[in-house]
Amino acid sequence: MTTTPQDLRTDQTPLAPGAPRSGTTFLGLPTAPRGVGHLRGDRSFPDAARDALRDGQLRANLGHATQTIRGKRARVVAELPDWQQLRAAGSALKAATMARLDEHLEELERQVTARGGTVHWARDAAEANRIVTDLVRATGTDEVVKVKSMATQEIGLNEALEAAGIAAHETDLAELIVQLGDDKPSHILVPAIHKNRAEIREIFLRTMPRVDADLTDEPRRLAMAARSHLRERFLRARVAISGANFAVAETGTLAVVESEGNGRMCLTLPETLITVMGIEKLVPTWPDLEVFLQLLPRSSTGERMNPYTSMWAGVTPGDGPQDFHLVLVDNGRTAVLADEVGRQALHCIRCSACLNVCPVYERTGGHAYGSVYPGPIGAVLSPQLTGVEDNASLPYASSLCGACYDVCPVAIDIPSILVHLRAEHVEAQEKPTAESVAFKALARAMSSPRLWRLAQRAAGLGRLLARGRPTMPAALPFPASAWTRSRDLPTPPAESFTAQWAREHGGRS
Amino acid sequence: MSAREEVLGRIRTALGETRAPVPEVVRDYRTTDDRPAAELLDVLVDRLEDYKASVLRCGPDDVAATVTAALDSGLGTGWAPGSVVAAPGLPAAWRPEGLDTDDDRPPVQLAERAASVTAVAVAIAETGTLVLDGTPPCGRRALSLLPDCLVCVVTADQVVGNVPESLGRLDPLRPLTMISGPSATSDIELQRVEGVHGPRTLVVVLVSGAAATIR
Ligand code: SF4
């Protein structure tokens, strides 16, 4: 059977709100534990978003950046005549991997071990942090260099190392900006996207010990300042910590995709390399990479290929680290795998294309999501990793416009997972809230044409309240005020589309 | 129970006792590129230059002279041959006089050198990518990383059209480095800056003509 991306979407019909859960969906598998790592914010999305929306500089920086990168991506994607075929193959490959995840992981372990590496397994963030800390301690060093990695951010590795007296130096330029600015990443690919050049210059002048006092805010000068700041650290580092973009089960090959060369420095120069990887990041065979090495760079930085991709299998005598450790982390992933609708979120290759097209992300930025995974993918991944009760507002952080699905290189149907998680959240609530009542009513209305037409006519009443303005007043009576306090609700049109169609074409709606 | 057993057990629970069949993967994307070889070379040059790498083309008898010209363009004329390190397996006929050869010195010592010269394993036209595989002609990974200027010699028979063709020629057990232009960052306002930690200058010598092969 040939699977097109269009089919993929309908293949995975979400459970209707209130439908019984299938027996295989909830098996009580543990989610990511509280109190460690960065999957939960300290505030709900609407609260955090309201502050972000007031920050004009942030919105300007984000708007500029997401618009630029959207344009670049569109240009290089249009260059490939077989983009949709690659996308369908990427999606099918990930689904095939998940269907036999245990077997592929065991094969990966065998191959890495056969080539001189050591494989460690971690049930959750705390265990992964403990394993890495012990490995670093065993080398006798008290500092490590790090390649940007979502997995190590997710588990809060830097904090764990710091608590053990080990300094972790981020080496990716954006991560360095975030670390020196005592800030948090706000984007998967360009974590300092919320900072402009003037703000970055100010951070460098304040925190880099030997920086040139005449440093300008020209991006080239700023990048060179980072180069000299890190150069000596690379040359003296004895231990490096990385993530992995891909692991090939049949060969034990690991791949790191990057731009600056900081990744190569970390993967090549130190004696010891520790790679921390989520258990979902693997592909079964070597030729499978031909799909992802085309999908990822074009979706992510909008380049035909990123400047550097490093691949290695275990240890190579005389070339690179002679001591290699791979740490495989669950941290809630198996709970995601258990959900037949939600498990697609594990197909994510972290390209960040869905962030860049999301109208909600573009206005609020990444911090409002509270988790290291922001934007549309974060809205479906974080609540599943933690259990929806710990990130209950995230499935609502979307307008369900579908732009994220259209750009996703592995065709993850994010809107359907969002609806599925909303239903799950509403169902889990003991006391009815305005939201749960509204969602239940909506579900009922949408399933009956007669009720739906009535509801649309009732919406026409809203026009009276708007008194000719394009949006509804913020001070609507409760419970509608809960919605309009932080959102512009458009005034309902004078006539619904179906009513207009019936009038103009005389047919049935 | 060990963490290994527990994680594997959770996966088995999540997938259920009667497992769904593995979805079929249809590979109807392009796996070959049948454009004529000469056209592929032009595409490669175009893509490399788009990344701000420079390309010098020559015939099989002029490689050493063209490598010299490449070093002139990367370092400025008057560079000291001893400041340039060649990969141990670089063919003798490709080497300008007096170059140093990489050996088993500690890799960090390579950071003091101005430039390095290596061969490649494969080049991908469509993406402008050079792949080094750690064999003696390509050298170990630190060699193409630490000196600030990298000169890579590519022969016409090493150029393939697209990514799938390139993986078919590579050994996944070797340490592989795919290089597409000089190192770069777009982390500041998404403005591309060439040259961060890897070599800031990349010069490619593209050898075509009858006997243009490394083997
Ligand atoms: S969900 Fe898709 S578009 Fe978003 S980051 Fe993951 S792979 Fe990219």
Side-chain angles (χ1 to χ4, degrees):
Chain A
M1 186 194 80
T2 312
T3 319
T4 66
Q6 285 73 30
D7 297 331
L8 299 172
R9 184 157 199 186
T10 43
D11 272 340
Q12 310 258 358
T13 317
L15 297 177
R21 294 186 184 112
S22 81
T24 53
T25 330
F26 275 99
L27 303 161
L29 291 169
T31 50
R34 293 179 182 158
V36 53
H38 301 287
L39 285 170
R40 298 165 174 85
D42 35 24
R43 294 192 297 168
S44 74
F45 181 81
D47 285 345
R50 208 171 303 115
D51 285 353
L53 288 173
R54 275 196 220 107
D55 185 341
Q57 180 69 59
L58 175 77
R59 284 180 73 165
N61 295 354
L62 277 170
H64 166 74
T66 50
Q67 193 187 343
T68 310
I69 201 158
R70 278 201 303 268
K72 285 178 71 185
R73 176 201 164 273
R75 269 195 303 282
V76 295
V77 163
E79 257 181 35
L80 291 191
D82 53 350
W83 184 255
Q84 292 305 337
Q85 285 89 327
L86 285 166
R87 196 170 169 245
S91 172
L93 272 168
K94 282 294 186 178
T97 308
M98 296 310 148
R100 297 291 179 274
L101 188 59
D102 50 344
E103 294 165 19
H104 296 310
L105 283 167
E106 287 178 292
E107 180 63 16
L108 176 72
E109 178 184 47
R110 262 194 300 280
Q111 296 300 329
V112 170
T113 310
R115 308 190 200 302
T118 310
V119 177
H120 309 260
W121 300 72
R123 296 173 184 89
D124 56 29
E127 188 166 25
N129 288 335
R130 214 160 40 237
I131 292 169
V132 176
T133 307
D134 288 346
L135 287 170
V136 177
R137 275 208 181 114
T139 67
T141 187
D142 59 0
E143 63 167 6
V144 298
V145 284
K146 275 192 71 202
V147 198
K148 174 172 158 4
S149 127
M150 297 306 300
T152 61
Q153 280 173 33
E154 173 192 323
I155 63 177
L157 179 62
N158 287 8
E159 291 82 349
L161 290 172
E162 199 185 323
I166 299 162
H169 305 299
E170 292 291 352
T171 64
D172 172 81
L173 177 52
E175 291 287 349
L176 179 71
I177 294 166
V178 167
Q179 191 176 46
L180 293 178
D182 203 11
D183 198 351
K184 283 184 178 161
S186 67
H187 190 279
I188 296 177
L189 173 74
V190 270
I193 199 170
H194 57 291
K195 294 275 184 229
N196 65 18
R197 57 182 77 187
E199 294 166 308
I200 295 168
R201 170 177 176 269
E202 186 275 321
I203 292 171
F204 282 9
L205 284 176
R206 186 159 45 81
T207 57
M208 286 183 175
R210 282 183 296 277
V211 72
D212 179 359
D214 299 329
L215 183 68
T216 68
D217 66 3
E218 194 203 330
R220 164 164 306 278
R221 294 281 309 274
L222 294 170
M224 291 312 116
R227 177 185 168 105
S228 43
H229 176 75
L230 288 172
R231 188 87 180 167
E232 187 238 342
R233 293 217 165 121
F234 286 132
L235 297 181
R236 71 163 190 243
R238 290 170 47 208
V239 178
I241 297 174
S242 84
N245 292 91
F246 306 103
V248 182
E250 71 165 2
T251 59
T253 310
L254 286 143
V256 166
V257 171
E258 53 132 358
S259 294
E260 297 169 10
N262 63 308
R264 293 185 65 195
M265 291 281 187
C266 293
L267 300 170
T268 310
L269 296 179
E271 296 146 25
T272 300
L273 171 62
I274 305 166
T275 299
V276 180
M277 183 183 106
I279 53 170
E280 82 284 22
K281 293 257 129 199
L282 77 186
V283 297
T285 71
W286 172 242
D288 298 340
L289 280 187
E290 71 194 16
V291 174
F292 297 106
L293 289 179
Q294 295 191 74
L295 290 173
L296 179 56
R298 288 180 200 253
S299 302
S300 140
T301 48
E303 293 167 303
R304 296 183 177 115
M305 190 63 98
N306 50 289
Y308 296 131
T309 297
S310 296
M311 298 192 249
W312 72 99
V315 169
T316 308
D319 190 346
Q322 297 300 299
D323 189 17
F324 171 56
H325 297 270
L326 177 62
V327 184
L328 299 171
V329 187
D330 178 353
N331 205 39
R333 283 163 178 75
T334 45
V336 184
L337 187 67
D339 185 322
E340 281 168 29
V341 175
R343 70 166 64 136
Q344 280 182 82
L346 296 177
H347 299 183
C348 174
I349 56 173
R350 311 274 189 265
C351 73
S352 72
C354 59
L355 278 60
N356 302 325
V357 296
C358 178
V360 176
Y361 177 87
E362 186 174 14
R363 285 164 182 79
T364 63
H367 292 159
Y369 293 80
S371 154
V372 294
Y373 302 113
I377 183 59
V380 294
L381 187 59
S382 310
Q384 294 197 86
L385 289 171
T386 61
V388 76
E389 63 282 5
D390 277 16
N391 267 308
S393 60
L394 284 185
Y396 300 90
S398 162
S399 62
L400 299 180
C401 73
C404 48
Y405 168 70
D406 294 335
V407 294
C408 178
V410 289
I412 300 173
D413 187 357
I414 296 176
S416 291
I417 311 178
L418 283 167
V419 172
H420 169 68
L421 293 176
R422 288 180 190 185
E424 197 172 278
H425 169 231
V426 168
E427 211 179 298
Q429 280 180 339
E430 286 155 28
K431 273 187 267 136
T433 63
E435 235 156 33
S436 72
V437 170
F439 259 87
K440 280 200 186 118
L442 183 65
R444 254 213 334 272
M446 287 177 90
S447 57
S448 145
R450 192 185 57 82
L451 282 177
W452 186 236
R453 272 196 302 278
L454 272 176
Q456 281 181 313
R457 239 176 279 146
L461 295 176
R463 293 181 60 78
L464 298 176
L465 282 167
R467 297 198 192 92
R469 285 183 304 253
T471 56
M472 302 288 286
L476 282 182
F478 185 83
S481 61
W483 179 268
T484 52
R485 221 173 27 228
S486 55
R487 299 172 184 86
D488 289 341
L489 183 64
T491 301
E495 195 177 26
S496 75
F497 175 76
T498 38
Q500 191 187 341
W501 179 271
R503 181 167 52 73
E504 288 175 5
H505 298 262
R508 284 173 315 219
S509 55
Chain B
M1 206 189 321
S2 71
R4 178 182 188 280
E5 288 317 308
E6 191 160 340
V7 173
L8 287 171
R10 288 175 187 176
I11 294 171
R12 288 174 193 133
T13 308
L15 293 176
E17 268 173 24
T18 46
R19 294 187 174 199
V22 179
E24 193 193 338
V25 179
V26 177
R27 295 178 197 260
D28 55 356
Y29 49 84
R30 296 168 305 141
T31 49
T32 54
D33 187 333
D34 23 343
R35 283 178 285 186
E39 194 180 329
L40 289 182
L41 296 192
D42 291 342
V43 173
L44 176 66
V45 172
D46 175 73
R47 302 292 142 93
L48 284 166
E49 288 176 345
D50 193 41
Y51 294 136
K52 306 280 185 324
S54 24
V55 184
L56 302 177
R57 300 182 70 159
C58 68
D61 300 329
D62 303 321
V63 181
T66 314
V67 169
T68 303
L71 289 164
D72 286 347
S73 90
L75 301 176
T77 47
W79 45 272
S83 69
V84 179
V85 201
L90 195 75
W94 293 5
R95 302 165 59 115
E97 291 274 318
L99 296 197
D100 187 9
T101 299
D102 191 23
D103 46 28
D104 50 13
R105 75 192 81 177
V108 292
Q109 288 182 11
L110 292 166
E112 297 148 20
R113 299 312 169 100
S116 56
V117 183
T118 74
V120 308
V122 180
I124 311 168
E126 189 170 272
T127 57
T129 304
L130 313 177
V131 192
L132 277 60
D133 67 357
T135 51
C138 296
R140 56 180 164 165
R141 287 173 284 176
L143 179 64
S144 54
L145 174 64
L146 290 173
D148 204 12
C149 168
L150 171 63
V151 176
C152 287
V153 184
V154 180
T155 60
D157 63 317
Q158 294 180 312
V159 180
V160 298
N162 55 32
V163 174
E165 287 173 296
S166 74
L167 293 195
R169 289 203 191 187
L170 292 165
D171 178 357
L173 301 185
R174 298 223 47 94
L176 300 173
T177 306
M178 295 185 151
I179 300 177
S180 307
S183 82
T185 181
S186 301
D187 279 347
I188 301 166
E189 297 185 12
L190 287 169
Q191 186 170 321
R192 188 174 161 109
V193 176
E194 277 85 22
V196 194
H197 304 295
R200 282 180 279 196
T201 309
L202 173 65
V203 191
V204 178
V205 173
L206 180 56
V207 190
S208 44
T213 167
I214 187 175
R215 280 163 252 279

